[in-house]
Amino acid sequence: VKLSNASNVTLQGLQLGGGLTVSGGSNIELIDDTGGTAAQLAGGHGGGITLTGTSNVSVEHDVINGLTLSGTSSGIRIQNDNIEGAGISITGGNSGLFISDNQLHGLSISAGSSGIITDNNITIGGVNISAAFAGSIDHNLIHNATIGVTMTAAAPLNANIISNNGTGIVDSVSGAGSLGFMAGAMPNEIIANGIGVSRCGGLERGVVRLQRIGLLDVLPAVRGVVDGVGAVDDPLLAGRAAFGRP
């Protein structure tokens, strides 16, 4: 199904086994739609949704196989959805995003965007941030992925629970954009991962507990609570070897 430059349209209760592409347009509601039959979705063959250059689109209560936001868009609201496949992929610049209360198989940000990403359950694919994000990524549960969060660009990661991943966070951002150093930063709970935080340019206001290795190659500064195997009693210590570096 394709919609081009449509406005004031609602698609509700549809089975979209072949997927849906929305190009341009505004004031569009996608509600209670599915990407095919239950068997198609379970087998990873269901349809997904692609939004390109749209504004004021609501995606709510849908069960789909991936959601891609491409082109320059604004005012997209994604709430109470079950998004399987690759989860949400943000490949075009988006402003005014609101992504909340979803079950996601991953979240990828590869184009500079802004908005609020909160209270989501993100698993399998984790969170991959390769372009700057402004606003807030907060109070999400990020779990059971090979890497919970991969950061190669600055983003406000606050008050998330990052648990039961192979590695909790891999953060190659340094300076003021590094983990916990941005203005208004709040602690993330990094719990019960194989490695808590790896390759980080610094860690501020983090809580790292119950990891096999707490911190690996984290410089120049660590300020937070570090508690678990591979950690030490002094949470201000910045020495790599003390945190279990091979």
Side-chain angles (χ1 to χ4, degrees):
V1 178
K2 294 184 179 180
L3 284 180
S4 296
N5 299 315
S7 296
N8 304 311
V9 172
T10 298
L11 300 183
Q12 185 168 4
L14 300 181
Q15 193 173 97
L16 303 167
L20 170 67
T21 299
V22 180
S23 301
S26 63
N27 301 318
I28 298 169
E29 295 181 322
L30 308 175
I31 301 173
D32 292 321
D33 299 310
T34 67
T37 66
Q40 285 178 306
L41 290 165
H45 306 301
I49 294 175
T50 298
L51 305 179
T52 302
T54 58
S55 64
N56 300 323
V57 177
S58 294
V59 182
E60 299 187 29
H61 300 284
D62 299 308
V63 181
I64 53 177
N65 187 32
L67 172 60
T68 300
L69 310 181
S70 64
T72 301
S73 300
S74 63
I76 294 177
R77 185 180 187 90
I78 303 164
Q79 195 167 16
N80 295 308
D81 298 296
N82 187 341
I83 304 178
E84 302 176 358
I88 296 176
S89 300
I90 302 171
T91 63
N94 279 259
S95 61
L97 274 172
F98 184 75
I99 301 174
S100 180
D101 296 298
N102 301 287
Q103 306 289 320
L104 306 177
H105 281 196
L107 171 66
S108 174
I109 303 172
S110 58
S113 298
S114 64
I116 297 172
I117 301 173
T118 186
D119 286 318
N120 299 285
N121 184 340
I122 305 172
T123 186
I124 301 177
V127 176
N128 192 322
I129 303 167
S130 58
F133 186 87
S136 186
I137 302 174
D138 65 88
H139 295 94
N140 300 286
L141 174 61
I142 304 167
H143 63 105
N144 293 99
T146 301
I147 300 174
V149 179
T150 303
M151 294 179 64
T152 56
L157 201 68
N158 296 312
N160 300 284
I161 297 175
I162 302 166
S163 67
N164 293 291
N165 303 286
T167 299
I169 299 178
V170 176
D171 176 15
S172 60
V173 182
S174 60
S178 191
L179 188 62
F181 281 85
M182 298 182 75
M186 298 172 62
N188 294 286
E189 296 270 352
I190 306 164
I191 306 170
N193 303 282
I195 297 172
V197 181
S198 177
R199 301 180 205 165
C200 184
L203 174 64
E204 178 105 351
R205 303 181 184 92
V207 178
V208 183
R209 291 196 177 103
L210 303 175
Q211 326 290 328
R212 181 174 59 83
I213 298 175
L215 306 177
L216 180 66
D217 275 338
V218 177
L219 280 178
V222 176
R223 300 182 181 89
V225 177
V226 180
D227 179 17
V229 176
V232 297
D233 291 333
D234 182 0
L236 301 180
L237 187 61
R240 289 177 292 183
F243 291 103
R245 185 187 182 193

